[in-house]
């Protein structure tokens, strides 16, 4: 993905629009999650680039349709290829229990 210091960990609680924490290490994020018994997804985000551009640069995603070049698509883009972990009530859970992030194509 990126160099160790070129990423942050972002926690998004279940069914929320905004993140509730940004951390420099996974350990610090997990302390916060456990302390408050939170449920959601912890994802590693590269710094100084958008996930859309990162996925293209890494060869993970290649736009193949016109709508995939639109601001709406790019602003909602996520990638299951980002390192991520799922939590239920403060404990790491199974990925099978929670769908991973994917490019959002519902509103083409």
């Amino acid at each position: 993905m990126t160099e160790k210091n070129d990423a942050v960990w972002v926690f998004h609680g279940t069914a929320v629009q905004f993140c509730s924490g940004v951390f420099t290490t996974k350990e610090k994020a997990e302390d916060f999650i456990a302390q408050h018994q939170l449920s959601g997804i912890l994802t590693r985000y590269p710094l100084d680039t958008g996930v859309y551009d990162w996925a293209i640069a890494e060869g993970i995603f290649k736009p193949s349709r016109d709508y995939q070049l639109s601001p709406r698509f790019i602003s909602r883009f996520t990638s299951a290829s980002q390192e991520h972990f799922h939590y239920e009530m403060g404990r790491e859970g199974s990925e099978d229990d929670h769908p991973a992030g994917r490019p959002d194509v519902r509103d083409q």
Side-chain angles (χ1 to χ4, degrees), residues 7-13 17-26 29 32-33 40-47 51 82-85 87:
V8 292
W9 291 92
V10 178
F11 181 74
H12 281 92
Q17 185 174 5
F18 299 104
C19 73
S20 57
V22 178
F23 304 89
T24 55
T25 67
K26 183 180 179 212
F32 171 74
I33 293 164
I41 300 175
L42 180 63
T43 306
R44 188 170 186 232
Y45 280 85
L47 292 174
V51 175
Q82 288 172 264
E83 190 174 358
H84 63 280
F85 300 88
Y87 297 84

Side-chain angles (χ1 to χ4, degrees), residues 10-93:
V10 178
F11 181 74
H12 281 92
T14 302
V16 300
Q17 185 174 5
F18 299 104
C19 73
S20 57
V22 178
F23 304 89
T24 55
T25 67
K26 183 180 179 212
E27 293 76 20
K28 289 179 182 179
E30 287 182 323
D31 288 346
F32 171 74
I33 293 164
Q35 176 187 359
H36 299 288
Q37 298 181 337
L38 303 177
S39 298
I41 300 175
L42 180 63
T43 306
R44 188 170 186 232
Y45 280 85
L47 292 174
D48 298 328
T49 187
V51 175
Y52 177 86
D53 291 336
W54 170 84
I56 291 171
E58 293 289 316
I60 294 164
F61 176 74
K62 182 177 180 180
S64 60
R65 305 197 178 191
D66 288 344
Y67 76 86
Q68 294 173 340
L69 302 171
S70 73
R72 180 177 177 88
F73 181 86
I74 295 168
S75 69
R76 299 171 62 142
F77 185 89
T78 61
S79 173
S81 295
Q82 288 172 264
E83 190 174 358
H84 63 280
F85 300 88
H86 301 268
Y87 297 84
E88 279 293 326
M89 297 186 66
R91 296 182 154 194
E92 190 172 344

